[in-house]
Amino acid sequence: MTIAGPQLSSFKMKSPMTLNPPFHVNMNTAGQDSSPLLSPVLSDVGGARVEEEDEAKRKRYPADKAYFIAKEILATERTYLKDLEVLTVWFRSAVVKENAMPEGLMTLLFSNIDPIYEFHRGFLKELEQRLALWEGRSNAPMKGDYQRIGDVMLKNMHTLKDFTNYLQKHDEVLTELEKATKRIKKLEMVYKEFELQKVCYLPLNTFLLKPIQRLMHYKLILGRLCKHYAAEHRDYNDCRNALKEITEMTSQLQNSLIRLENFQKLTELQHDLLGIDNLVAAGREFIREGCLYKLTKKGLQQRMFFLFSDMLLYTSKGVTGTNQFKIHGHLPLHGMLLIVLDPPCSLTDEASFALQVEESENEWAVPHCFTIYSAQKTIVVAASTRLEMGKWMEDLNMAIEMAKKSTEKSDMFLENSFCNHSNKLPPRYLLGQTQRPNTITHVCWYRNQSLSLSDYLCMIQDDYPLASLPLLGYTVSTPVETDGIQKDYVFKLQFKSHVYFFRAESKYTFERWMEVIKRATSSPGRSSLFIPKDEKEKVTK
């Protein structure tokens, strides 16, 4: 897949379900030769042969929705195992080769991840065997009804409960690994070089979150199976009991996942931001990041804002080779007021000792504009859309409430956090001249979007990609008549002049891709992270 513009690595186009290759259309390149990535399914080249193969597959394999759900479990299990191998195989090899990691940390890291990896290797084999029997591809002399998946899921979800203690230690592993990379120069170098390797397609510590994220996926997909089956179906009881087992685990680990996601995000931002030494601090929570336009003497200038539970930072994209964001200012949140939509207050009243956020479109004649008052300064910012403005104001409101309830004073802490020596780089990037890899923060900058922690928790990262396409800001739809696509189960991705078409193998996989990509292309704002959609609808009615 070819992507114009910056090569950004988050929101990968990966394959949790079977998907045919993309047909990429660039509206600005009409008349050029056909792309070598042109999909034979959606083009005339080889179209007849591929269509015949597709038809043969449809006739040969089951068409039941449960079969495609089982295929999704199998496909995502394969890619999940590859993610674990980034740690168990590739990173282990790197640190062992250079003798870069202390023995105690090696034991802590791999004694927690190795047993999980071995379990999933066995689980994957069972899934492969069951799908082979389901499709009639197995030569094994076995008899019985194997067009079901609930029994395999129940057995393995029950076994997986034995690994809860390992999963609960992953926040300790993340913390100790981060401390060690700051303390040990050789490990720091190996860590940095490994993150630049193709196999490490995400920040390294992200892979430690995968096991708990995988549990959440099991819960969702088992819920989908239970919803599909009638109560009297032979597979229903096993699926229901497997769902019960995994729900107990996710309930125990839900808080751990939120802590891990928050810690991972803070450590990633520590490397992305230039001008702060100790962003990772006890009690600090990441809330939202994204682009806003700040009113300056030169007019509205694009800035990247970062909202935490104790402060609001605003930055600009650096022009140095490190690809970082330089901090221009910070507003502590302690003592701030709630969002107010009344006319602007005079800074001589009590608002001068607090923060006040107010909508100010009429005053500045700029759409989606609001003003932030604090004891230190006043800034006027504008969002790209009214929806984005609403997300920022909602999260600022929440953050102010959090700060009001906090009893700790952080003014002195904040002063010590920020550096006046703006050219100082985080230690990891003093070791070489290699540019910091692009992260989701860079995607937000280039696409003029924002994301909250709840958005990150809803992401599904599945595979080490053949190619990647940052989806934030894209729209997903079905082709229109002028597109000239006369195939079933095709969806269309578009960002400005860049258009891609993809074809799924079934109605189920088509609907799943549409569902997942719609979630990835936009952030819906704050919501309960683990409440099923059906229950959310009941709450809002």
Side-chain angles (χ1 to χ4, degrees):
M1 188 184 301
T2 57
I3 306 173
Q7 294 298 304
L8 306 177
S9 62
S10 298
F11 281 107
K12 307 288 191 273
M13 277 302 299
K14 298 183 280 293
S15 182
M17 298 150 281
T18 303
L19 190 66
N20 286 317
F23 170 43
H24 172 220
V25 179
N26 189 328
M27 300 299 191
N28 294 332
T29 58
Q32 292 184 358
D33 294 336
S34 297
S35 165
L37 294 177
L38 184 67
S39 170
V41 175
L42 301 179
S43 68
D44 293 332
V45 182
R49 177 180 57 80
V50 174
E51 282 196 31
E52 288 175 4
E53 291 176 359
D54 286 349
E55 286 303 317
K57 286 181 181 179
R58 290 191 183 98
K59 291 177 181 178
R60 188 185 316 133
Y61 295 146
D64 181 40
K65 182 178 179 179
Y67 163 72
F68 291 107
I69 296 177
K71 282 192 70 175
E72 180 181 345
I73 298 172
L74 173 60
T76 54
E77 191 69 18
R78 282 177 178 150
T79 57
Y80 167 62
L81 203 65
K82 291 179 184 177
D83 283 342
L84 292 183
E85 287 173 352
V86 173
L87 292 169
T88 62
V89 177
W90 300 105
F91 184 59
R92 188 205 303 266
S93 176
V95 295
V96 169
K97 181 180 178 181
E98 300 296 332
N99 191 25
M101 186 178 289
E103 184 177 345
L105 182 57
M106 284 281 290
T107 301
L108 177 64
L109 172 57
F110 294 110
S111 67
N112 276 283
I113 200 71
D114 285 345
I116 295 171
Y117 173 66
E118 290 301 323
F119 163 78
H120 284 283
R121 285 183 65 190
F123 183 27
L124 178 59
K125 289 180 181 178
E126 290 188 43
L127 290 172
E128 289 173 336
Q129 291 169 0
R130 176 54 55 89
L131 265 294
L133 289 167
W134 199 327
E135 295 169 353
R137 293 184 289 108
S138 176
N139 295 322
M142 301 178 68
K143 296 182 180 180
D145 179 10
Y146 293 106
Q147 291 193 342
R148 55 196 176 97
I149 199 69
D151 57 329
V152 176
M153 295 300 293
L154 177 59
K155 172 192 170 185
N156 284 278
M157 295 307 99
H158 182 74
T159 305
L160 196 53
K161 291 178 73 174
D162 297 335
F163 294 90
T164 303
N165 290 336
Y166 292 108
L167 296 170
Q168 289 174 333
K169 290 182 180 179
H170 279 197
D171 53 350
E172 179 187 355
V173 175
L174 269 175
T175 303
E176 293 304 317
L177 183 60
E178 182 66 18
K179 287 180 181 177
T181 56
K182 292 178 179 179
R183 188 177 70 251
I184 304 168
K185 295 300 180 184
K186 184 186 286 189
L187 177 59
E188 189 175 46
M189 175 69 81
V190 171
Y191 193 111
K192 169 195 169 243
E193 290 179 349
F194 185 77
E195 279 197 323
L196 297 175
Q197 299 301 310
K198 187 177 180 182
V199 69
C200 189
Y201 66 92
L202 294 170
L204 180 60
N205 55 17
T206 303
F207 292 97
L208 279 167
L209 277 62
K210 295 288 183 178
I212 299 182
Q213 292 173 337
R214 186 63 179 153
L215 300 185
M216 303 300 173
H217 186 259
Y218 292 145
K219 180 181 175 182
L220 291 172
I221 209 161
L222 281 166
R224 200 172 295 123
L225 273 168
C226 289
K227 187 175 181 180
H228 166 66
Y229 285 137
E232 62 273 13
H233 192 280
R234 61 189 181 281
D235 206 24
Y236 177 77
N237 285 335
D238 283 342
C239 288
R240 184 186 62 181
N241 290 330
L243 178 60
K244 182 180 179 182
E245 295 273 7
I246 201 66
T247 299
E248 290 178 6
M249 286 191 70
T250 55
S251 296
Q252 292 181 47
L253 295 167
Q254 179 174 322
N255 290 334
S256 293
L257 176 60
I258 295 173
R259 287 198 310 272
L260 285 167
E261 289 278 5
N262 185 66
F263 181 84
Q264 189 278 327
K265 185 60 185 175
L266 290 176
T267 55
E268 180 182 302
L269 289 177
Q270 179 73 73
H271 305 150
D272 279 336
L273 300 182
L274 191 59
I276 183 170
D277 277 339
N278 55 344
L279 188 64
V280 182
R284 177 171 290 152
E285 297 177 23
F286 166 78
I287 298 174
R288 179 171 291 276
E289 67 177 350
C291 275
L292 293 170
Y293 289 87
K294 180 177 177 289
L295 187 65
T296 68
K297 293 179 180 179
K298 298 180 181 180
L300 290 172
Q301 299 285 318
Q302 184 180 3
R303 295 287 182 262
M304 191 72 181
F305 280 72
F306 301 88
L307 178 60
F308 303 93
S309 56
D310 60 339
M311 62 179 173
L312 176 67
L313 304 180
Y314 54 94
T315 70
S316 65
K317 181 74 166 59
V319 293
T320 64
T322 58
N323 205 21
Q324 294 170 290
F325 291 85
K326 181 181 178 181
I327 295 175
H328 285 273
H330 72 282
L331 301 174
L333 299 187
H334 278 272
M336 298 174 180
L337 297 176
L338 293 176
I339 292 176
V340 177
L341 299 177
D342 294 329
C345 299
S346 167
L347 290 183
T348 58
D349 62 19
E350 64 178 3
S352 63
F353 302 102
L355 176 99
Q356 188 178 71
V357 182
E358 61 185 25
E359 194 173 352
S360 48
E361 180 175 339
N362 293 334
E363 180 186 4
W364 297 101
V366 175
H368 325 307
C369 180
F370 56 98
T371 308
I372 301 175
Y373 298 109
S374 76
Q376 294 183 341
K377 63 180 68 177
T378 300
I379 61 174
V380 178
V381 296
S384 57
T385 65
R386 190 166 190 84
L387 178 62
E388 280 293 305
M389 182 183 73
K391 292 174 187 176
W392 275 105
M393 295 183 76
E394 182 180 5
D395 281 349
L396 279 164
N397 183 36
M398 181 202 68
I400 294 166
E401 273 297 298
M402 289 170 60
K404 283 175 66 177
K405 294 176 181 178
S406 174
T407 57
E408 295 181 9
K409 301 295 181 182
S410 62
D411 291 344
M412 184 178 298
F413 168 77
L414 286 173
E415 288 299 323
N416 294 331
S417 296
F418 290 88
C419 320
N420 292 323
H421 41 288
S422 59
N423 291 326
K424 181 178 178 182
L425 301 179
R428 184 172 301 164
Y429 302 101
L430 287 172
L431 298 173
Q433 300 301 314
T434 307
Q435 178 173 293
R436 164 109 176 111
N438 285 303
T439 62
I440 190 61
T441 299
H442 297 84
V443 179
C444 289
W445 172 264
Y446 288 117
R447 298 283 164 79
N448 198 16
Q449 300 281 327
S450 72
L451 287 171
S452 67
L453 182 62
S454 61
D455 298 324
Y456 287 104
L457 288 163
C458 291
M459 290 181 195
I460 299 177
Q461 301 278 3
D462 286 312
D463 191 16
Y464 165 47
L466 174 66
S468 63
L469 176 67
L471 293 182
L472 191 62
Y474 268 76
T475 58
V476 60
S477 63
T478 53
V480 295
E481 185 176 351
T482 54
D483 292 322
I485 305 297
Q486 306 299 325
K487 306 291 181 183
D488 294 331
Y489 314 134
V490 174
F491 60 87
K492 174 182 178 180
L493 275 174
Q494 183 167 3
F495 178 73
K496 296 183 178 178
S497 63
H498 300 282
V499 181
Y500 300 83
F501 295 95
F502 295 87
R503 189 184 185 192
E505 67 172 349
S506 68
K507 181 181 178 182
Y508 169 75
T509 52
F510 169 77
E511 290 173 346
R512 283 286 290 131
W513 274 107
M514 291 288 285
E515 173 192 346
V516 171
I517 293 176
K518 281 180 180 178
R519 237 180 11 237
T521 54
S522 63
S523 58
R526 303 198 60 81
S527 61
S528 300
L529 302 181
F530 302 102
I531 299 177
K533 181 181 177 182
D534 294 347
E535 293 183 24
K536 288 181 184 177
E537 290 174 352
K538 291 177 184 176
V539 172
T540 55
K541 286 181 180 178

